[in-house]
Amino acid sequence: MAFLTRELHEHKHKNGVSMPCQVSSQKGTSKGSNFFNYIKKCKSNKSIIVQPRMGFTCAGKMKAGLEAVKKLNANTIGTITLDAFTRQGDYKSSKKAIEKNQELNGYPIISHGITKTKLLVSKIQSEEFPIQMRHGTPLPLNVIDVALKAGIDATEGGPISYCMPYSRVPLAEALKNWAEACKRLAPCRNNGEIKHLESFAGCMLGQLCPPSMLIALNILECLFFKQYGVKSVSLSHTQLNNRKQDFSAIYILRKCAAEFLPDIDWHVVFYTFMGLFPETTVGTFKILLDSAQIASRAKCERIIVKAPMEAHRIPTIDENIAALELASLVGNDKTDYIHQFIIDEEEADQIYYEAKTLIDSVLNSSGNLNESILIAFEKGILDVPYCLHHDNLNKVRCSISREGYLKWENIGNLPFSKFTLCNRKTNKYLLAERLLSMLQYNRYKYDCTAV
Amino acid sequence: MSGNKKVTITTIPSDAHTWNLVYIQLFLEEYGFLAQNIGSCPPYDLTIRKCCEHQPDLIVVSTVNGHGYIEGLELVKRIKQSDFVNNVPVIIGGKLTTKGRLTREEKENLLKEGYSEVFEGNSAIGDFPEYLEIINGVLNKRTA
């Protein structure tokens, strides 16, 4: 343990809070996309980029939203989030909804089509304002094709993170489809541009997934992207229930990224809490402020901000803008010396041990990464707590410890030899209530201490 | 345990959220139901097929992605058209629109199309046991 701790210190010293390595351009033909270059630029300025999760049905409103984000006096990236019909490949329903003037929960990129989307993007996107498409699609080939043709050079997701929690698509099918999509995002002879792909694995089910599993899945997805030629990736982490565990997790995420992805460009994106959100006005702002502080102290290059109203409905453009402004102010406040980056070394050691064990177990199980991922889920070497997908064993359970750390309560078939289980006294007849209280942990924490 | 009532828990085809489904399952199991949980994003036909197999006493549609009104109408229409499950009470709950709350007209349309009850807003989960009690008489006894 002492050795591991020392190693952590050395790592910290050597890499600061680690900078991604440079991508070597392929025979001088590769050039960075808007997204890639902008991240690099902001990183050298040491300023955090804020990004919304914005998506509107109507192209006019989408344009207005993007313009408002662009105008902000902050480092921003624009987002086009797709609607749920498009995510599920049900383009007929999204088309019908447009015709009927019904409001969807995002931008239906397929129904609007390439020409219309290209017009929208070309008017707004620039070197100073890249746009990322966020989509939630287990089979993303169609939407990624359209996005690329419309001039969007960055997207996100992953064969595990957009399949297991959100769909009924067999994992094997998602892996195949994502493989093709990744090839489209790789620089090629005709188009040497370095496009960007973010792994969404830091947000599995939004909450109640221990950080070691999130880190392992992030690394495995990025290795998957890399094997199909993707040169620029990001790893994600969503706000948990305790700041120290967040710091420890992000620290280990970077350590693993440096170890497993030494030859491609990477950065870390932080998400404001993705689970049940506080409900009071003060509570929602407090959790948002905390997330911006954590992201900036942990030197995350980018933060995806949640607007306070998101607990109740799709936020308006103004509400999105206010949240971004606030996050940028707090995230870039260089005069705040109170909130420091402090990790819990014992916890970091344990997260590293677990994440590394998971990654190694998967990589060593066969010579083929895709096969290894399938085997791992089948055997429960990878297992996401409470995930109902039929390819997930759903044998593991976790709970929130007294200090607010997410800990394993039942490790199922996870290959750990070193662990302590978190056992909270429970009444087996009150499982629903207990689950609800864990799901609402942050809601209580921020709403009750709000005043 | 004999005589347990059966419930099918489902959602609308576009809804990928599952915490609501996991929670509702535990909740109903505590009320003695034998639960079948169909999981995220079930196509309409799959919900009907699973219901026909399970022959539930109650069908619960739980959805939070904001498309509940649009797709909830279609789902209940199809359930009511099915010869095997058209008599089973169907209820819907969660966040049913992107605008916060349903309009009165929208809620009435859901009821008219075949839902026995619509649960929305903060009081929804509090109202749920009462509803279960009403439809099942004695089910408000914990299995403990």
Side-chain angles (χ1 to χ4, degrees), chain A residues 84-85 88 102-105 165-168 205 207-208 279 311-314 386 388 429-432 435-436 439, chain B residues 13-14 16 18-19 22-23 26-27 30 37-43 46 65 67 71 95 98 100 122 142 144:
Chain A
F85 288 136
Q88 298 308 322
Q102 281 172 327
E103 207 165 321
L104 298 174
N105 57 3
Y166 301 120
S167 82
R168 326 184 57 86
L205 290 173
Q207 58 183 332
L208 293 187
E279 286 177 315
H312 308 286
R313 55 170 167 75
I314 305 268
Y386 306 100
L388 298 174
Y429 300 112
L430 291 173
L431 290 174
L435 177 72
L436 192 63
L439 289 168
Chain B
S14 74
T18 54
W19 283 119
V22 173
Y23 170 72
L26 290 174
F27 189 92
E30 276 165 34
N37 193 342
I38 300 185
S40 68
C41 301
L46 183 79
N65 75 343
H67 287 184
E71 289 184 292
K95 269 185 242 167
T98 55
N122 284 342
R142 300 250 161 154

Side-chain angles (χ1 to χ4, degrees), chain A residues 6-60:
Chain A
R6 196 165 59 243
E7 196 183 58
L8 286 173
H9 277 304
E10 279 164 12
H11 171 79
K12 195 172 167 185
H13 178 69
K14 210 163 48 194
N15 286 0
V17 181
S18 147
M19 282 287 140
C21 62
Q22 299 298 310
V23 150
S24 54
S25 65
Q26 293 182 326
K27 297 173 192 160
T29 56
S30 294
K31 67 176 177 60
S33 60
N34 284 327
F35 189 96
F36 174 86
N37 291 336
Y38 189 67
I39 298 273
K40 255 186 161 175
K41 196 187 122 192
C42 293
K43 198 183 306 179
S44 61
N45 294 342
K46 293 193 169 57
S47 47
I48 194 164
I49 298 166
V50 293
Q51 189 181 341
R53 306 176 341 127
M54 188 188 270
F56 298 108
T57 321
C58 149

Side-chain angles (χ1 to χ4, degrees), chain A residues 108-162:
Chain A
I109 196 168
I110 302 276
S111 305
H112 282 315
I114 297 167
T115 315
K116 202 169 178 184
T117 307
K118 196 171 183 174
L119 196 69
L120 166 75
V121 170
S122 64
K123 278 188 185 156
I124 302 168
Q125 186 166 241
S126 69
E127 279 175 20
E128 290 302 307
F129 189 68
I131 293 174
Q132 184 190 38
M133 174 180 72
R134 311 189 57 82
H135 60 86
T137 314
L139 304 171
L141 194 52
N142 286 345
V143 294
I144 288 182
D145 256 346
V146 170
L148 287 171
K149 285 179 184 149
I152 300 170
D153 56 31
T155 186
E156 43 83 74
I160 303 168
S161 58
Y162 267 1

Side-chain angles (χ1 to χ4, degrees), chain B residues 29-55:
Chain B
E29 281 171 354
E30 276 165 34
Y31 277 84
F33 279 94
L34 284 174
Q36 175 197 40
N37 193 342
I38 300 185
S40 68
C41 301
Y44 297 121
D45 294 348
L46 183 79
T47 294
I48 308 287
R49 205 175 70 230
K50 291 274 182 186
C51 286
C52 289
E53 282 166 20
H54 189 60
Q55 283 295 311

